[in-house]
Amino acid sequence: RRIVKGAGGKSALLVPAAVFFLALSAFLGDSYSRFDFPLDDAWIHRVYSRSVAFGHGFEYNQGRQEAGSTSPLWAVVTAPAHWLEGAGVEAVVVAVKVIGVLLGLGVVLATGRVAKSVTGSALAGCVAASLFALEPRFLFSCLSGMENVLLLALWAGGSAALLAGRPFLSVALFSLTPVTRPEAAW
């Protein structure tokens, strides 16, 4: 309790962030985890993302615009990773994973803010965020190259903004969820 209150509540953010990075390290034990994606869908997203990165819009096949991307916002968010292609495919994979990890960190911190807002306790926010940071499926998602972590970031950020009395930001974040995953519209 003293750690959380001692730094004016800043430790309430530092502790869950540290827990998140320590837990994430358990998923990075081999080179496959660091330099490849576990699901083929991540590579499908890479095709659309690469096309966006180089100014070709949403093309899966060169010269043909398509609406086949199930997560157009993920393709746009991760498009800059493809500017590293000159350094090799592994550089692109690592960049996409870094984007996922940064979004995951945002989810952890937003979870802490939501819990603190609901309970009025920085300690409760710290504990809730730290527990969420240990969730294996969440950690897997951060490194999967998939859009799940972007959807969580939008949802958690929208919830935190709503509870902080920022309704316009909340609506903006929630309105982006269907272009991250179509089923988020319901």
Side-chain angles (χ1 to χ4, degrees), residues 11-38:
S11 294
L13 301 177
L14 295 177
V15 170
V19 169
F20 172 66
F21 285 115
L22 286 171
L24 204 56
S25 69
F27 280 80
L28 296 171
D30 59 55
S31 63
Y32 179 79
S33 298
R34 292 186 299 272
F35 303 115
D36 207 344
F37 295 124

Side-chain angles (χ1 to χ4, degrees), residues 135-153:
E135 211 294 312
R137 291 167 293 194
F138 166 66
L139 295 166
F140 174 84
S141 291
C142 292
L143 298 169
S144 71
M146 298 293 290
E147 72 281 4
N148 307 30
V149 69
L150 176 58
L151 181 63
L152 282 173

Side-chain angles (χ1 to χ4, degrees), residues 6 16 23 29 33 36 42 44 53-54 65 82-83 95 112 114 117 124 133 138 148 155 157 161-162 164 175:
S33 298
D36 207 344
I44 294 169
F54 294 108
Q65 294 292 305
H82 289 275
W83 299 337
V114 167
S117 179
F138 166 66
N148 307 30
W155 182 81
L162 185 63
S175 68

